[in-house]
Amino acid sequence: MERKYLYLDYLTCIGCETCETVCDFIHGGNPHIRIYVTENKQYLPINCKHCDDAPCLRVCPTNAIYRDEDGAVRIAENRCIGCLACLQVCPYGVPFYSLKVKAITKCDMCAERREEGLEPACAEMCPAEAIQYGPLEMVLELVNERRAKNIPEHRREITKEELRKSVSSGYVLL
Amino acid sequence: MKGMKFSFLCKKKPQPTGKRVAIVGAGPAGLTAAGYLVCKGHNVDIYDKMPEPGGLMLFVIPEFRIPVERVRLGAKELEEEFEVTYYPRTKVMEGERLDEGDEFYERVVGLDELRENYDAVLIATGIWNVRRIGIPGDDLEGILSPLELLFWIKGHELGYVPGEKVPDLKGKKVGIIGAGLTAVDTAFECSRLGADVEIFYRRTIREAPAGAYEINILRNRGVKWFELVTPKRVIGENGRVKAIELLRTRLGKPDETGRRRPIPIEGSEFQVPVDYLVFAIGMVSTPPVNGEYLATDNRGRIVVDGRHMTSVEGIFAAGDVVNGPTKVGRAIKDGLYAAVSIDEWLRGEL
């Protein structure tokens, strides 16, 4: 089956918490996607990126981490020994050790839903269309399309001085 | 583009239960609750005073944050795949009250009538009133409500509001009081329409509810940011806004919200000339009742129990009308859990 991607576009995310809400709802109060807020109040939803070259998958000593047919990086709970090696190498700090399950838990791209022919809930419900799910080409195209839509909304006449400042500082005027 | 999938919990309509639920308000809470309930086999009708479903997501929040199409397609899917019936331009009310957006409704239905005709009712009418500031001159011409302004702009783009209703803001000086998300969205839209925008806030950027990230994007677009100022009175000329008189403030001890309280400095008055003024200092819940029909608190919010049920058996409430202004995701969360309660209650398990 074709590898699917679950991509979160921070440039279109509005921090509304819908993704975390629906993930929380279908996972009994333990969301796998969580919104973090920076000090200047930028909202960053973080979940497993299901990396192509996933360091967690390479480092797991018991081969408890595997990739399923849709490309999701999954945990075989019965093989997990709770050594947290995956957490050590994850650039996003995603793997979460659940004392209840006695294994690492994390986003599995809604494995149960995919079995029923449904898609990841966060992508289906995000009002801002900031979460895209599908094959790589499709995801990239949808992200570009969504961002392009914002350009005319943001565009206004800028003064020569502003333009000069924007170019010289490398700072993008939205 | 695909629509929001409010019925994200199921693929198709299950066996009908024969139970009928009325939802008042087609915003995020109402639509998500509808999505859950249709997945449980209940029949759902949605009443809303606006001409089409979507609520604030569609009529107020700017297009660059939430695309209209995304909401429209989501609401349409509920109608086409799950046989949800919409009753637009229908205000549900017990008693009387003027709210914003009232110019769109054509019919009024009593809440008690819904209670009698349906097995359960969910109120998700949100926050369709703005808080008034109560300073001299706050009723002058040229003072705009942020909600009204945002839905005139968006409503015009959607084809519901005639162009002459939207003030011509090009080159005009617009002062905005407040630093929440509504203030920021109003500033974005006014700046997009060519206005010269200034934001006045009584604390500093650090305490601003919208956050420094959003405010700095605005500042990069040319919006001016004034902090540590509080409005004292609005100065008019021939009944129209001419300027705002502000007092400088300093920050004192933290208040109940944990943020330092702004204290006006006596004798620090100064004036800033403006053409339009927007007081974006908070929104108020608008339950479909005014009077004793069901219990509300001193801020007009509906009081519910742990089952999301109001003081009237069989009427539930969720979203901003219960919690006050929050975020889309929190309204969705409340809508979802209220729908779980309604489903359990209809099955006699609650």
Side-chain angles (χ1 to χ4, degrees), chain A residues 83-157:
Chain A
C83 67
L84 304 187
C86 49
L87 179 57
Q88 293 281 350
V89 294
C90 177
Y92 293 93
V94 160
F96 177 82
Y97 186 69
S98 161
L99 288 170
K100 212 166 102 197
V101 189
K102 289 264 167 28
I104 290 289
T105 57
K106 65 166 200 68
C107 168
D108 55 7
M109 270 197 209
C110 282
E112 281 175 32
R113 291 174 57 83
R114 284 185 285 123
E115 270 164 36
E116 293 168 40
L118 297 162
E119 294 190 352
C122 55
E124 294 213 298
M125 278 294 279
C126 172
E129 230 194 349
I131 308 179
Q132 305 287 6
Y133 170 76
L136 185 63
E137 289 299 316
M138 188 185 116
V139 165
L140 293 180
E141 196 169 315
L142 288 170
V143 171
N144 285 342
E145 203 179 293
R146 176 68 185 89
R147 283 197 194 172
K149 227 176 286 163
N150 272 10
I151 294 172
E153 287 291 319
H154 280 300
R155 193 170 53 200
R156 67 180 178 93
E157 286 174 42

Coordinates of all heavy atoms in Angstrom, one line a residue, chain A residues 83-157:
Chain A
C83 N 12.3 0.9 28.0 CA 13.7 1.4 28.2 C 13.8 2.9 27.8 O 14.8 3.5 28.2 CB 14.7 0.6 27.4 SG 14.6 0.8 25.6
L84 N 12.8 3.4 27.1 CA 12.8 4.8 26.7 C 13.9 5.2 25.8 O 14.2 6.4 25.6 CB 12.8 5.8 27.9 CG 11.7 5.6 29.0 CD1 11.8 6.7 30.0 CD2 10.3 5.5 28.4
A85 N 14.5 4.3 25.1 CA 15.6 4.6 24.1 C 15.0 5.4 23.0 O 15.6 6.3 22.5 CB 16.2 3.3 23.6
C86 N 13.7 5.1 22.6 CA 13.1 5.9 21.6 C 12.9 7.3 21.9 O 13.0 8.2 21.1 CB 11.7 5.2 21.2 SG 10.7 4.8 22.7
L87 N 12.6 7.5 23.2 CA 12.4 8.9 23.7 C 13.7 9.7 23.6 O 13.7 10.9 23.2 CB 11.8 8.9 25.1 CG 11.6 10.3 25.7 CD1 10.7 11.2 24.9 CD2 11.0 10.2 27.1
Q88 N 14.8 9.0 23.9 CA 16.1 9.6 23.8 C 16.4 10.2 22.5 O 17.0 11.2 22.3 CB 17.2 8.6 24.2 CG 17.2 8.1 25.6 CD 17.9 9.1 26.5 OE1 18.5 10.1 26.1 NE2 17.7 8.8 27.8
V89 N 16.0 9.4 21.4 CA 16.4 9.8 20.1 C 15.4 10.6 19.3 O 15.6 11.1 18.2 CB 16.9 8.6 19.2 CG1 18.1 8.0 19.8 CG2 15.7 7.6 19.1
C90 N 14.1 10.7 19.8 CA 13.1 11.4 19.1 C 13.3 12.9 19.1 O 13.4 13.5 20.2 CB 11.7 11.0 19.7 SG 10.4 12.0 18.8
P91 N 13.4 13.5 17.9 CA 13.7 15.0 17.9 C 12.5 15.8 18.5 O 12.7 16.9 18.8 CB 13.9 15.3 16.4 CG 13.9 14.0 15.7 CD 13.3 12.9 16.6
Y92 N 11.3 15.2 18.6 CA 10.2 15.9 19.0 C 9.7 15.5 20.4 O 8.7 16.0 21.0 CB 9.0 15.6 18.0 CG 9.2 16.3 16.7 CD1 9.8 15.6 15.7 CD2 8.9 17.6 16.5 CE1 10.1 16.1 14.4 CE2 9.2 18.2 15.3 CZ 9.7 17.5 14.3 OH 10.0 18.1 13.1
G93 N 10.4 14.5 21.0 CA 10.1 14.1 22.4 C 8.7 13.4 22.4 O 8.0 13.6 23.4
V94 N 8.3 12.7 21.4 CA 7.0 12.2 21.2 C 6.7 11.0 22.1 O 5.6 10.9 22.8 CB 6.6 12.0 19.8 CG1 5.4 11.0 19.6 CG2 6.3 13.3 19.1
P95 N 7.5 9.9 22.1 CA 7.1 8.7 22.8 C 6.8 8.9 24.2 O 7.5 9.6 24.9 CB 8.4 7.8 22.6 CG 9.1 8.3 21.4 CD 8.8 9.8 21.4
F96 N 5.7 8.4 24.7 CA 5.2 8.6 26.0 C 5.0 7.3 26.7 O 4.4 6.4 26.1 CB 3.8 9.3 25.9 CG 3.1 9.6 27.3 CD1 3.5 10.7 28.0 CD2 2.2 8.7 27.7 CE1 2.9 10.9 29.3 CE2 1.6 8.9 29.0 CZ 1.9 10.0 29.7
Y97 N 5.6 7.1 27.8 CA 5.6 5.8 28.5 C 4.3 5.7 29.4 O 4.2 6.5 30.3 CB 6.8 5.5 29.3 CG 6.8 4.1 29.8 CD1 7.0 3.0 29.0 CD2 6.7 3.9 31.2 CE1 7.0 1.7 29.5 CE2 6.7 2.6 31.7 CZ 6.8 1.5 30.8 OH 6.8 0.2 31.3
S98 N 3.4 4.8 29.1 CA 2.2 4.7 29.8 C 2.4 3.6 30.9 O 2.7 2.4 30.6 CB 1.0 4.3 28.9 OG 0.0 3.8 29.7
L99 N 2.3 4.0 32.2 CA 2.4 3.0 33.3 C 1.3 2.0 33.3 O 1.4 0.9 33.7 CB 2.5 3.8 34.6 CG 3.8 4.6 34.9 CD1 3.7 5.4 36.1 CD2 5.0 3.6 35.0
K100 N 0.1 2.5 32.7 CA -1.0 1.6 32.7 C -0.8 0.5 31.7 O -1.0 -0.7 31.9 CB -2.3 2.4 32.4 CG -3.5 1.9 33.0 CD -4.7 2.9 33.0 CE -5.6 2.5 31.9 NZ -6.5 3.6 31.5
V101 N -0.4 0.9 30.5 CA -0.2 -0.1 29.4 C 1.1 -0.8 29.6 O 1.3 -1.9 29.0 CB -0.3 0.6 28.0 CG1 -0.3 -0.3 26.9 CG2 -1.5 1.6 27.9
K102 N 2.0 -0.2 30.3 CA 3.4 -0.8 30.5 C 4.1 -0.8 29.1 O 4.7 -1.8 28.8 CB 3.4 -2.2 31.1 CG 3.0 -2.1 32.6 CD 4.3 -2.1 33.5 CE 4.1 -1.8 34.9 NZ 2.9 -2.1 35.6
A103 N 3.9 0.2 28.3 CA 4.6 0.3 27.0 C 4.5 1.7 26.6 O 3.8 2.6 27.1 CB 3.8 -0.6 26.0
I104 N 5.3 2.0 25.5 CA 5.3 3.3 24.9 C 3.9 3.5 24.2 O 3.5 2.6 23.5 CB 6.4 3.5 23.9 CG1 7.8 3.5 24.7 CG2 6.2 4.7 23.0 CD1 8.0 4.8 25.4
T105 N 3.3 4.6 24.3 CA 2.1 4.9 23.5 C 2.4 6.2 22.8 O 3.1 7.1 23.2 CB 0.8 5.1 24.4 OG1 1.1 6.2 25.3 CG2 0.5 3.9 25.2
K106 N 1.8 6.2 21.6 CA 2.0 7.5 20.7 C 1.0 7.4 19.6 O 0.3 6.4 19.4 CB 3.4 7.6 20.3 CG 3.9 6.5 19.3 CD 5.2 6.9 18.6 CE 5.4 6.1 17.4 NZ 4.4 6.4 16.3
C107 N 1.0 8.4 18.8 CA 0.1 8.5 17.6 C 0.4 7.3 16.7 O 1.6 7.0 16.3 CB 0.4 9.8 16.8 SG -0.4 9.8 15.2
D108 N -0.7 6.5 16.3 CA -0.5 5.4 15.3 C -1.3 5.8 14.1 O -1.7 4.9 13.3 CB -1.0 4.1 16.0 CG -2.4 4.2 16.5 OD1 -3.1 5.2 16.3 OD2 -2.9 3.2 17.1
M109 N -1.4 7.0 13.8 CA -2.2 7.5 12.6 C -3.6 6.9 12.6 O -4.1 6.5 11.6 CB -1.5 7.1 11.3 CG -0.5 8.1 10.8 SD -0.3 7.8 9.0 CE 1.4 8.3 8.8
C110 N -4.2 6.8 13.8 CA -5.5 6.3 14.0 C -5.7 4.9 13.4 O -6.5 4.7 12.5 CB -6.6 7.2 13.4 SG -7.0 8.6 14.5
A111 N -4.8 3.9 13.8 CA -4.8 2.6 13.3 C -6.2 1.9 13.2 O -6.6 1.4 12.2 CB -3.8 1.7 14.0
E112 N -6.9 2.0 14.3 CA -8.2 1.4 14.4 C -9.2 2.0 13.4 O -10.0 1.3 12.7 CB -8.8 1.5 15.8 CG -8.3 0.5 16.8 CD -8.8 0.8 18.2 OE1 -10.0 1.2 18.3 OE2 -8.1 0.5 19.1
R113 N -9.1 3.3 13.2 CA -10.0 4.0 12.3 C -9.6 3.6 10.9 O -10.5 3.4 10.0 CB -9.9 5.5 12.4 CG -10.5 6.0 13.7 CD -10.2 7.5 13.9 NE -10.7 8.3 12.8 CZ -11.9 8.7 12.7 NH1 -12.8 8.4 13.6 NH2 -12.3 9.5 11.7
R114 N -8.3 3.5 10.6 CA -7.9 3.1 9.2 C -8.4 1.7 8.8 O -8.7 1.5 7.7 CB -6.3 3.2 9.1 CG -5.9 4.7 9.0 CD -4.4 4.8 8.7 NE -3.6 4.5 9.9 CZ -2.7 3.6 10.0 NH1 -2.4 2.8 8.9 NH2 -2.0 3.3 11.1
E115 N -8.4 0.8 9.9 CA -8.9 -0.5 9.6 C -10.4 -0.5 9.1 O -10.9 -1.3 8.3 CB -8.8 -1.4 10.8 CG -7.5 -2.1 10.8 CD -7.2 -2.7 12.2 OE1 -8.1 -3.2 12.9 OE2 -6.0 -2.7 12.6
E116 N -11.1 0.5 9.7 CA -12.6 0.6 9.3 C -12.8 1.5 8.1 O -13.9 1.8 7.7 CB -13.3 1.3 10.4 CG -13.4 0.5 11.7 CD -14.0 1.3 12.9 OE1 -14.9 2.1 12.6 OE2 -13.4 1.1 14.0
G117 N -11.6 1.9 7.5 CA -11.7 2.8 6.3 C -11.9 4.2 6.6 O -12.3 5.0 5.7
L118 N -11.7 4.6 7.8 CA -11.7 6.1 8.2 C -10.3 6.6 8.2 O -9.3 5.9 8.2 CB -12.4 6.2 9.5 CG -13.8 5.8 9.7 CD1 -14.2 5.6 11.1 CD2 -14.8 6.8 9.0
E119 N -10.2 8.0 8.2 CA -8.9 8.6 8.2 C -8.6 9.2 9.6 O -9.5 9.3 10.4 CB -8.9 9.7 7.2 CG -9.0 9.2 5.8 CD -8.8 10.2 4.7 OE1 -8.7 11.4 4.9 OE2 -8.7 9.7 3.5
P120 N -7.4 9.6 9.9 CA -7.0 10.1 11.2 C -8.0 11.3 11.6 O -8.3 12.1 10.7 CB -5.6 10.6 11.0 CG -5.0 9.8 10.0 CD -6.2 9.4 9.0
A121 N -8.5 11.2 12.8 CA -9.6 12.1 13.2 C -9.1 13.6 13.2 O -9.9 14.5 12.9 CB -10.1 11.7 14.6
C122 N -7.8 13.8 13.6 CA -7.4 15.2 13.7 C -7.4 15.9 12.3 O -7.9 17.0 12.2 CB -6.0 15.3 14.2 SG -4.8 14.3 13.4
A123 N -7.0 15.1 11.3 CA -7.0 15.7 9.9 C -8.5 15.9 9.4 O -8.7 16.9 8.7 CB -6.3 14.8 9.0
E124 N -9.4 15.0 9.8 CA -10.7 15.1 9.4 C -11.4 16.3 10.0 O -12.3 16.9 9.4 CB -11.5 13.9 9.7 CG -11.0 12.7 8.9 CD -12.1 11.7 8.5 OE1 -12.7 11.1 9.4 OE2 -12.3 11.5 7.3
M125 N -11.1 16.7 11.2 CA -11.8 17.7 11.9 C -11.1 19.1 12.0 O -11.8 20.1 12.3 CB -12.1 17.2 13.4 CG -13.3 16.3 13.5 SD -14.9 17.2 13.0 CE -15.2 18.1 14.6
C126 N -9.8 19.2 11.7 CA -9.2 20.5 11.8 C -9.9 21.6 11.0 O -10.0 21.4 9.8 CB -7.7 20.4 11.3 SG -6.9 22.0 11.2
P127 N -10.5 22.6 11.6 CA -11.2 23.6 10.9 C -10.4 24.4 9.9 O -10.8 24.9 8.9 CB -11.8 24.5 12.0 CG -11.5 23.9 13.3 CD -10.4 22.9 13.1
A128 N -9.1 24.6 10.3 CA -8.2 25.5 9.5 C -7.6 24.8 8.3 O -6.9 25.4 7.6 CB -7.1 26.0 10.4
E129 N -7.8 23.5 8.2 CA -7.2 22.7 7.2 C -5.7 22.7 7.3 O -5.0 22.7 6.3 CB -7.6 23.2 5.8 CG -8.2 22.2 4.8 CD -8.2 22.7 3.4 OE1 -8.0 23.9 3.2 OE2 -8.4 21.9 2.5
A130 N -5.2 22.6 8.5 CA -3.8 22.7 8.8 C -3.2 21.3 8.8 O -2.0 21.2 8.9 CB -3.5 23.5 10.0
I131 N -4.0 20.3 8.9 CA -3.5 18.9 9.0 C -4.0 18.1 7.7 O -5.1 18.1 7.4 CB -4.1 18.2 10.2 CG1 -3.8 19.0 11.5 CG2 -3.4 16.8 10.3 CD1 -4.3 18.4 12.8
Q132 N -3.0 17.7 7.0 CA -3.3 16.9 5.7 C -2.8 15.5 5.9 O -1.8 15.2 6.4 CB -2.5 17.6 4.6 CG -2.8 19.1 4.4 CD -4.2 19.4 3.8 OE1 -5.0 18.5 3.7 NE2 -4.4 20.7 3.6
Y133 N -3.6 14.6 5.3 CA -3.3 13.2 5.4 C -3.4 12.6 4.0 O -4.4 12.8 3.3 CB -4.3 12.5 6.4 CG -4.2 11.0 6.3 CD1 -3.1 10.3 6.9 CD2 -5.2 10.2 5.7 CE1 -3.0 8.9 6.9 CE2 -5.1 8.8 5.6 CZ -4.0 8.2 6.2 OH -3.9 6.8 6.2
G134 N -2.4 11.8 3.6 CA -2.5 11.1 2.3 C -1.1 10.8 1.8 O -0.1 11.0 2.4
P135 N -1.1 10.4 0.5 CA 0.2 10.1 -0.1 C 1.0 11.5 -0.3 O 0.4 12.5 -0.3 CB -0.2 9.6 -1.5 CG -1.6 9.2 -1.5 CD -2.2 10.0 -0.4
L136 N 2.3 11.4 -0.3 CA 3.2 12.5 -0.2 C 2.8 13.6 -1.3 O 2.6 14.8 -0.9 CB 4.6 12.1 -0.4 CG 5.7 13.3 -0.3 CD1 5.6 13.8 1.1 CD2 7.1 12.8 -0.6
E137 N 2.7 13.2 -2.5 CA 2.4 14.2 -3.6 C 1.1 15.0 -3.2 O 1.0 16.2 -3.4 CB 2.2 13.5 -4.9 CG 3.5 13.0 -5.5 CD 4.5 14.1 -5.7 OE1 4.1 15.2 -6.3 OE2 5.7 13.9 -5.4
M138 N 0.1 14.2 -2.8 CA -1.2 14.8 -2.5 C -1.1 15.8 -1.3 O -1.6 16.9 -1.4 CB -2.2 13.7 -2.2 CG -3.6 14.2 -2.0 SD -4.6 12.8 -1.5 CE -5.1 13.4 0.1
V139 N -0.4 15.4 -0.3 CA -0.2 16.2 0.9 C 0.5 17.5 0.5 O 0.1 18.6 0.9 CB 0.6 15.5 2.0 CG1 1.1 16.4 3.1 CG2 -0.3 14.4 2.6
L140 N 1.6 17.4 -0.3 CA 2.4 18.6 -0.6 C 1.5 19.6 -1.4 O 1.5 20.8 -1.2 CB 3.6 18.2 -1.4 CG 4.7 17.4 -0.7 CD1 5.9 17.1 -1.6 CD2 5.2 18.2 0.6
E141 N 0.7 19.0 -2.3 CA -0.1 19.9 -3.2 C -1.2 20.6 -2.3 O -1.4 21.8 -2.5 CB -0.8 19.0 -4.2 CG -1.4 19.9 -5.3 CD -1.8 19.0 -6.5 OE1 -1.0 18.1 -6.9 OE2 -2.9 19.2 -7.0
L142 N -1.8 19.8 -1.4 CA -2.8 20.4 -0.5 C -2.3 21.5 0.4 O -2.9 22.5 0.6 CB -3.5 19.3 0.3 CG -4.4 18.4 -0.4 CD1 -4.8 17.2 0.5 CD2 -5.7 19.1 -0.9
V143 N -1.0 21.3 0.9 CA -0.4 22.3 1.7 C -0.1 23.6 0.9 O -0.4 24.7 1.4 CB 0.9 21.8 2.4 CG1 1.6 22.9 3.1 CG2 0.6 20.6 3.4
N144 N 0.4 23.4 -0.3 CA 0.7 24.6 -1.1 C -0.6 25.3 -1.4 O -0.7 26.6 -1.4 CB 1.3 24.1 -2.4 CG 2.8 23.8 -2.2 OD1 3.4 24.2 -1.2 ND2 3.4 23.0 -3.1
E145 N -1.6 24.6 -1.8 CA -2.9 25.2 -2.1 C -3.5 26.0 -1.0 O -3.9 27.1 -1.1 CB -3.9 24.0 -2.5 CG -5.0 24.4 -3.3 CD -5.9 23.1 -3.6 OE1 -5.4 22.2 -4.3 OE2 -7.0 23.0 -3.1
R146 N -3.4 25.4 0.2 CA -3.9 26.0 1.4 C -3.2 27.3 1.7 O -3.7 28.3 2.1 CB -3.9 25.0 2.6 CG -4.3 25.6 3.9 CD -5.8 25.9 3.9 NE -6.3 26.6 5.2 CZ -6.3 27.9 5.3 NH1 -5.9 28.7 4.4 NH2 -6.7 28.4 6.5
R147 N -1.8 27.2 1.6 CA -1.0 28.4 1.9 C -1.3 29.5 0.9 O -1.3 30.7 1.2 CB 0.4 28.0 2.0 CG 0.9 27.3 3.2 CD 2.4 27.4 3.3 NE 2.8 26.4 4.3 CZ 4.1 26.2 4.5 NH1 5.0 26.8 3.8 NH2 4.5 25.3 5.4
A148 N -1.4 29.1 -0.4 CA -1.6 30.1 -1.4 C -2.8 30.8 -1.2 O -2.9 32.0 -1.5 CB -1.6 29.4 -2.8
K149 N -3.8 30.1 -0.7 CA -5.1 30.8 -0.4 C -5.0 32.0 0.5 O -5.8 32.9 0.5 CB -6.1 29.7 0.1 CG -7.4 29.8 -0.5 CD -8.3 28.7 0.0 CE -7.9 27.3 -0.5 NZ -8.5 26.2 0.3
N150 N -4.0 31.9 1.4 CA -3.9 32.9 2.4 C -3.2 34.2 1.9 O -3.2 35.2 2.5 CB -3.1 32.4 3.6 CG -4.0 31.8 4.7 OD1 -5.2 31.6 4.4 ND2 -3.5 31.5 5.8
I151 N -2.5 34.0 0.8 CA -1.7 35.1 0.3 C -2.5 36.3 -0.1 O -2.3 37.4 0.5 CB -0.8 34.7 -0.9 CG1 0.3 33.7 -0.4 CG2 -0.1 35.9 -1.5 CD1 1.1 33.1 -1.4
P152 N -3.6 36.2 -0.9 CA -4.4 37.4 -1.2 C -5.0 38.0 0.1 O -5.2 39.2 0.2 CB -5.4 36.9 -2.2 CG -5.4 35.4 -2.2 CD -4.1 35.0 -1.6
E153 N -5.4 37.1 1.0 CA -6.0 37.6 2.3 C -5.1 38.5 3.0 O -5.4 39.5 3.7 CB -6.4 36.4 3.2 CG -7.6 35.7 2.6 CD -8.9 36.5 2.7 OE1 -9.1 37.2 3.7 OE2 -9.7 36.5 1.8
H154 N -3.8 38.2 3.0 CA -2.8 38.9 3.8 C -2.3 40.1 3.0 O -1.7 41.0 3.6 CB -1.6 38.0 4.1 CG -1.9 37.1 5.3 ND1 -2.2 37.6 6.5 CD2 -1.9 35.8 5.4 CE1 -2.4 36.6 7.3 NE2 -2.2 35.5 6.7
R155 N -2.5 40.1 1.7 CA -1.8 41.1 0.9 C -2.4 42.5 1.1 O -3.6 42.7 1.2 CB -1.9 40.7 -0.6 CG -0.9 41.5 -1.5 CD -0.9 41.0 -2.8 NE -2.2 40.8 -3.4 CZ -2.5 40.1 -4.4 NH1 -1.6 39.3 -4.9 NH2 -3.8 40.0 -4.9
R156 N -1.6 43.4 1.2 CA -2.0 44.8 1.2 C -0.9 45.6 0.6 O 0.2 45.1 0.5 CB -2.3 45.3 2.7 CG -1.0 45.3 3.5 CD -1.3 45.8 4.9 NE 0.0 45.8 5.6 CZ 0.8 46.8 5.8 NH1 0.5 48.0 5.3 NH2 1.9 46.7 6.4
E157 N -1.2 46.9 0.3 CA -0.1 47.7 -0.2 C 0.9 48.0 0.8 O 0.5 48.5 1.9 CB -0.7 49.0 -0.8 CG -1.5 48.8 -2.1 CD -2.2 50.0 -2.5 OE1 -1.6 51.1 -2.5 OE2 -3.4 49.9 -3.0

